[in-house]
Amino acid sequence: MNRAVVLVICFTLLSALVVTVVGAVLSQSELEQQAKNQVSTIAQLLAGDIDDKLARRLDTLSHVAASFTMDETALIGRASVLVRQQTALQHLFDGLYLIDEDGNILAEHPESYALTGFNVSHRDYFQNASQRLTPVISEPYVSIYQDQPAVMIAAPIFDHRQKFIGVIGGALLLSGENFMEAVANLRIGETGYLGVATRSGITLAHGRTGQVMVPVRVENPVLKDAMEGFEGTRQTRNGDGVRTIMSVQQMDQVPWFVAAVWPAREAFAPITRMTDAFLWTLLGVVGVVTPIALWRFRRLMAPLQVLGQQINERHLGVRTVPVDVTGGREIQQVAEIFNTVMDERDEVLVSLAEREAFFRSLTQSAPIGIVQTDVLGRIDFVNPAFENIIGRPTSDLQHTYLINGVFEADRDAVLSGWKQSLRNKEVFRGRFRIPSQGERDLIWGDVMTSVIETPDKTLGSITVIRDVSRELEVEEALREEQQRAENILGVLQEGVLMVDIEGRIRFANQTACQFLGTEGDCAQQNFFDLVEIWSDDKLLTHNEFLTGGDIDSLYATLKNRNDGRYDIDLTVLHVRQGRYNERMVFVIRDDSERRRQEERLSWEATHDSLTHLLNRRAFSASLLKCQGEITEPAARSVLMLIDLDHFKPVNDEGGHLLGDDLLKRLADLFKDTVRQSDTVARLGGDEFGIILPMCGLERAEALAERIRERVEELRIEQDGRSFGVTASIGLTELVPGDRGPREVISRADEGSYTAKSRGRNAVVVVPAPS
């Protein structure tokens, strides 16, 4: 009993500990997610705030640059006045500079920096602003003034004729009193901090070390991924090896990113305190409850000893009355169950004497033949069913030897099997012929014979006989039908095979074995070891076929172990699904010809039948896809439309066959001239289109000139005459502002029409709208 109490207490304590640990793990997981969300929110807010401040400064600087519309001489003469007037910019930047087109600083604020007259043409921000002619935010650099790290926002200045005459720039010192310093001073909790860095790997602000213009620590995998464009929240370790939660947010205005870092120890401190308090409380409760539970349990279990003694006395026969004890409800239920079992045992002993008579009466109505013999094999008893089987009454069978009732030709085999069963102490089972005086002279009997014996002696045998003559006739008919079905399946063009639940082939026709790549019969081999079946680039496994439903028609690819590959139409049927003797029937049809026909129709739907180039519909789809992939790269995609000049005289004077030959040669010329990644199409008649992804207008114009020259050089001789054409070519760039293919094609069409109006055989570039 004491062990039971200890076991219950240990189980309770273990359960409480498991609940505590699981609760702590789940709480930590939830707290970790909350901490990650908090750090991610702070990183997003800070990135958005810096983006807004940079955007406001960039817009303000661009607006001021646009207002300096004057000639270069006026800009140089009024430089100091113009800089002193920009009060708003002076508040937004740590330094303000007006620079001429050669990179010389004309004026500055504050003037205490003493940088007027210095040349900054070698600086990246000046080169980018003067070459791109757009406002830029520079990479961090070391400024001339006291070698302080800074970031420059620069905007180009144009005169009245939109000629570049200079740059106005605003410098933000990374160690100055501005919003970048505020970033380094922000904290998450007590020890969390924030940082800003460029994707090129330069630190702009660091809340833990305060360092700027130092390389980013690429040993940290999160920072390394952030330099490649990663956004998200992960656990990592900082430079001191402390485990932290880090969230990275990329910025929109510049290729910078913000990193928010919170030490995990501080983030998870509440759950650690709660777990410790719960464990101490649990130990205190167990220390108080254990003695009380032990005392109470021993009192409840005391009646069990009395019950055990009474049960032992009743079992030995010393006690004749039912057991009777006091105690809890469960103990009383045990006593009642024991009394009930003992009463039932007495009733069973009383009924044993009646069972032999019951057996005799039961065999009289049994539907199968039953025969009882003595130890010498002589018949003592037969039931009416056995009399009907052999067509003889009990009086003729009494005391005759049972073996004499076996057909003489089968008798030796039956005796041998009976002796073998006796030696092995098994039930004899056999199927043999029996002479009969009934409807049949000779019947087939399915027989089972067992010895009747007690521990002391053998009493005889009991034999059960069932007439299976009709069943055998049906089985023979079924075998004939199966052979007929196999003959039919053998000549089918489809492969038909049946496998069991383990994948072993139970039947397969010759066509199926050819698909499997086996020589001769493939039965008894494992179907899934011989072939792989792929559908939609996925390998279908044995388990998927077994647990799935019937498949009516599945287009798939079959690969056998001899590297044979077939496009097939597969049908799968389940027989007795879910049972131990389940079978799967696979019907395999060769689908190669239909798929080749589909591929041919698909090709004809997207290609021009004469030149084998893409047709207008496929060209429009390619153009639409190219527009959807525009991301403002260094080199834009270009559309080229080619309209042939003087093609109608070639058709009229040389004939349509000559015109078709010329079009095919031109198609080959276009494909040989452009890159493999470019798209060439015949849009109809004598009009062609070419899409040049990421080509750039300058290269596209040179390519168009080369195409124009080669078209002009192409000549075809017929009947002593020379035929040829020229090309009017229109070019235009694909820009993000285009609303669809029609707008781009219209611009390129305008170029080809302009070329024709200028005398044909020319290349005209139509610029995209700004």
Side-chain angles (χ1 to χ4, degrees), residues 581-754:
N581 57 348
E582 178 182 350
R583 300 289 185 266
M584 289 186 291
V585 178
F586 289 79
V587 181
I588 305 172
R589 306 176 187 86
D590 192 338
D591 198 41
S592 304
E593 182 59 33
R594 185 193 64 79
R595 297 195 189 184
R596 284 194 294 270
Q597 184 70 9
E598 284 187 355
E599 291 175 358
R600 184 182 64 80
L601 293 175
S602 175
W603 187 91
E604 291 177 351
T606 57
H607 288 76
D608 175 55
S609 60
L610 175 63
T611 62
H612 293 180
L613 299 178
L614 293 180
N615 58 21
R616 179 178 286 273
R617 182 172 61 179
F619 180 79
S620 297
S622 297
L623 182 57
L624 183 61
K625 179 182 177 183
C626 188
Q627 286 184 293
E629 296 172 350
I630 295 176
T631 58
E632 284 294 349
R636 287 180 175 173
S637 300
V638 178
L639 171 63
M640 180 190 304
L641 287 187
I642 304 171
D643 198 349
L644 301 183
D645 305 324
H646 311 297
F647 180 71
K648 188 173 184 303
V650 175
N651 267 341
D652 294 343
E653 299 174 17
H656 288 284
L657 292 178
L658 179 66
D660 291 347
D661 185 27
L662 178 59
L663 290 176
K664 288 191 284 187
R665 295 193 187 189
L666 288 171
D668 293 338
L669 183 151
F670 296 151
K671 288 190 291 185
D672 293 341
T673 306
V674 300
R675 303 169 298 181
Q676 276 191 331
S677 60
D678 299 335
T679 302
V680 184
R682 183 187 179 195
L683 305 182
D686 57 354
E687 186 178 4
F688 295 84
I690 301 176
I691 303 173
L692 305 169
M694 308 290 290
C695 179
L697 192 57
E698 183 177 348
R699 290 176 58 194
E701 189 172 1
L703 179 63
E705 283 293 342
R706 187 159 65 253
I707 290 175
R708 183 194 62 78
E709 293 172 358
R710 294 186 64 182
V711 171
E712 185 178 12
E713 293 170 358
L714 180 63
R715 309 294 295 180
I716 298 178
E717 302 293 333
Q718 178 175 288
D719 298 333
R721 295 185 59 187
S722 177
F723 294 90
V725 296
T726 59
S728 295
I729 302 176
L731 291 176
T732 189
E733 287 183 310
L734 278 66
V735 295
D738 291 328
R739 289 169 294 184
R742 183 174 299 179
E743 184 175 345
V744 182
I745 292 174
S746 296
R747 289 203 304 272
D749 269 337
E750 181 183 345
S752 61
Y753 292 153
T754 303

Side-chain angles (χ1 to χ4, degrees), residues 75-86:
L75 179 69
I76 295 173
R78 300 179 56 195
S80 299
V81 176
L82 292 174
V83 169
R84 284 196 298 270
Q85 290 176 346
Q86 304 308 317

Side-chain angles (χ1 to χ4, degrees), residues 526-554:
N526 191 289
F527 173 66
F528 297 99
D529 290 342
L530 297 176
V531 300
E532 292 181 354
I533 298 178
W534 294 79
S535 177
D536 295 332
D537 297 328
K538 176 188 176 184
L539 176 63
L540 301 180
T541 64
H542 175 196
N543 188 60
E544 288 175 322
F545 281 114
L546 187 62
T547 58
D550 292 346
I551 299 175
D552 183 33
S553 182
L554 174 68

